[in-house]
Amino acid sequence: MPCRRYGTLNAIFVIQFFNMEHALIVEKTRDFVRKTLENAEGGHDWWHIHRVWLNAHRIAENEKADMLIVELAALLHDIADSKFHNGDEEIGPETAGKFLNELDIDEDTITHVQQIIRNISFKSGFDQKTFHSKELEIVQDADRLDAIGAIGIARAFSYGGFKGREIFNPEVEPNLNMTKEEYKNSAAPSINHFYEKLLLLKDKMNTETGKKMAEQRHQFMEQYLQQFFDEAGTYIQK
Ligand code: ADP
Ligand code: NI
């Protein structure tokens, strides 16, 4: 009897220790990310990360996945985005790896988080897929949800403004067959980005929860574009 009681106590202790470790690691990572992204562009700032982190948590609750990997990857996925670092696609995984190493996290977890950062973005979809995991699917869905709907609209124009892009130019048609290089170097008006990426995301969602969450946000974007072009049409010379 006493033995069994100690067994239970031990198990509780281990679970509590594990949770404490997990919570502490997440907290330290949050602090690091928030500090690093202090001066980031409004669409890729701490609050984007915060939303992606919460989306990821919500999706992961309905999936069989390693929650620590999901949370770390969500928090670190834009820690050094290549768009803001002269196209360098390794600086993100490298920065994340260095930080996680200092926290003494096991190698497998670090490598997994780095692989998610490498493979999450829309532009990495142009490359041959060499890595796949449930955790990647979840964090990718969480990031995509923040690229659509009302928030997605705000982020697209924020990024466009940051890059000095036009909002809309009726003489520049969207390019629906871009290569990765064309996508990366595009300086097209922000409204084109809806046709080149944002409206395509709904059908790229990986998880059932993600798909459901994307539906209404997608519809809202369609509605917004309808209104946008109704208004814009009145200025276009026939
Ligand atoms: P990528 O598309 O390069 O993989 P992200 O997925 O990180 O990059 O893009 C994140 C967000 O940045 C987009 O959802 C959008 O809001 C904004 N963004 C990126 N490229 C453009 C663009 N050409 N025009 C307007 N917004 C953009
Ligand atoms: Ni992101």
Side-chain angles (χ1 to χ4, degrees), residues 162-182:
F162 178 80
K163 296 295 256 186
R165 306 258 169 88
E166 292 171 313
I167 293 172
F168 168 56
N169 179 341
E171 292 167 357
V172 186
E173 295 264 314
N175 178 355
L176 303 181
N177 294 302
M178 280 192 276
T179 61
K180 181 175 177 179
E181 280 316 299
E182 283 172 333

Side-chain angles (χ1 to χ4, degrees), residues 101-155:
N101 258 315
E102 282 165 18
L103 290 189
D104 248 353
I105 290 173
D106 69 273
E107 276 302 316
D108 286 353
T109 300
I110 297 179
T111 309
H112 196 150
V113 169
Q114 288 178 305
Q115 284 289 37
I116 294 177
I117 298 173
R118 270 186 206 104
N119 288 281
I120 189 174
S121 84
F122 185 76
K123 65 184 170 320
S124 74
F126 288 97
D127 301 329
Q128 189 82 29
K129 281 270 152 294
T130 53
F131 177 80
H132 180 262
S133 76
K134 186 43 90 183
E135 290 76 9
L136 167 61
E137 286 188 353
I138 292 168
V139 183
Q140 192 168 47
D141 277 6
D143 193 30
R144 284 171 174 168
L145 283 168
D146 209 52
I148 62 177
I151 290 173
I153 295 170
R155 291 183 67 221

